Amino acid sequence: MTSAPTIPDITLNNGVAIPQLGFGVFQIDPKDTEAAVLAALETGYRHIDTAEMYGNEKEVGRALRASGLDRSDVFVTSKLNNGYHAYGDALAAFSRSLGDLAMEYLDLFLVHWPMPAVGDYTETWRAMEEIYRSGRVKAIGVSNFQIGHLDRLFQETSVVPAVNQIEVHPYLAQDELRAFGADHGIATEAWSPIAQGKVLDNAVIKAIATRVERTPAQVTLRWHIQRGDIVFPKSVTRSRVEENIRLFDFELTRDDMAQITALDRGERIGPDPDTFNWVP
Ligand SMILES: NC(=O)C1=CN([C@@H]2O[C@H](COP(=O)(O)OP(=O)(O)OC[C@H]3O[C@@H](n4cnc5c(N)ncnc54)[C@H](OP(=O)(O)O)[C@@H]3O)[C@@H](O)[C@H]2O)C=CC1
Ligand SMILES: O=C(O)C(=O)[C@@H](O)[C@H](O)C(=O)CO
């Protein structure tokens, strides 16, 4: 393939820079993860999104070491699993994630789900603040938090989350929650950015793709990039890993952007954060 593109950074609310495009590893079998992450790093990705829940942190760490890259060259995110929301459990879970990744620090650590009916996420967030103060993570954030959850954090805790990682794709544009985040200095990370493939046969996206001579996946990912969100598509297919990074040498018009945003139908492919209380 041709040389790797330059991926722009987004500056988080504490000054930390995060590559706007990364590589997600949800549903990559642990036995396949080292090879998949290594392929992504070889292709030019410098940002990996994992989680304790995915069961593949060890393999992510192995891939980074096998790549020969410096630890500081790659932005690594992991997430606190749902069973560890109590203060002491959260501290211990963070240390376990670091141990499994075999890293001295994480770039970003997130509360994976708010779990509103199970525990008190403000207690969990105080543990995250303690982890942040320890210097073993460069930034802390949340995932799947709704406006009400964020409002409670603002009222009862000190550190404003650096990011909120939420489901966003053309069928779930999330404009209200994204705007709320932007108003409070919280960057949006868009999970399942191509809706696990479900938006790729959409007629509007296909027509734009034909006109700009790109694939529907590239058009959809470019829509996220131009909206300013952070994305990390997942693929175990080398040709798609290469396709998904080629987003920085074309542009969508204002009309393309509006047409894709108008596909919003409030349709989730994942759980509803207000009612999701699953402990793996
Ligand atoms: N915080 C949270 O609660 C959540 C976070 N996430 C994060 O977001 C990441 C991405 O989301 P994910 O759910 O994996 O879904 P994605 O929207 O990234 O879609 C992944 C699926 O699309 C396929 N695919 C990838 N690229 C292409 C392409 N160019 N053309 C056609 N098909 C393609 C993949 O197939 P194949 O692999 O076979 O090539 C896979 O089946 C996760 O890996 C994870 O890091 C995801 C869900 C929830
Ligand atoms: O991928 C993630 O990060 C998730 O949280 C999802 O797996 C989510 O928990 C789910 O889809 C459960 O069915």
Side-chain angles (χ1 to χ4, degrees), residues 147 173-181:
I147 289 174
Q174 293 268 32
D175 281 343
E176 189 186 356
L177 183 50
R178 291 171 63 258
F180 182 86

Side-chain angles (χ1 to χ4, degrees), residues 106-172:
L106 276 186
D107 295 281
L108 180 62
F109 193 52
L110 308 180
V111 179
H112 204 145
W113 289 87
M115 306 285 290
V118 167
D120 178 357
Y121 51 79
T122 63
E123 174 185 337
T124 317
W125 189 250
R126 284 194 200 92
M128 298 290 283
E129 291 176 334
E130 172 64 29
I131 293 164
Y132 183 48
R133 280 192 294 270
S134 78
R136 292 177 299 157
V137 64
K138 299 205 165 170
I140 51 173
V142 293
S143 176
N144 300 301
F145 273 48
Q146 306 277 52
I147 289 174
H149 306 136
L150 291 169
D151 262 335
R152 249 197 92 195
L153 288 191
F154 299 156
Q155 282 157 24
E156 299 180 35
T157 66
S158 308
V159 178
V160 175
V163 311
N164 189 15
Q165 182 178 127
I166 55 174
E167 181 179 345
V168 188
H169 45 70
Y171 293 159
L172 185 70

Side-chain angles (χ1 to χ4, degrees), residues 26 49 143-144 165 192 196 234-237 240 243-244:
F26 173 45
D49 184 86
S143 176
N144 300 301
Q165 182 178 127
S192 296
Q196 298 184 344
K234 167 264 178 187
S235 179
V236 292
T237 312
R240 290 173 172 172
E243 174 185 332
N244 294 347

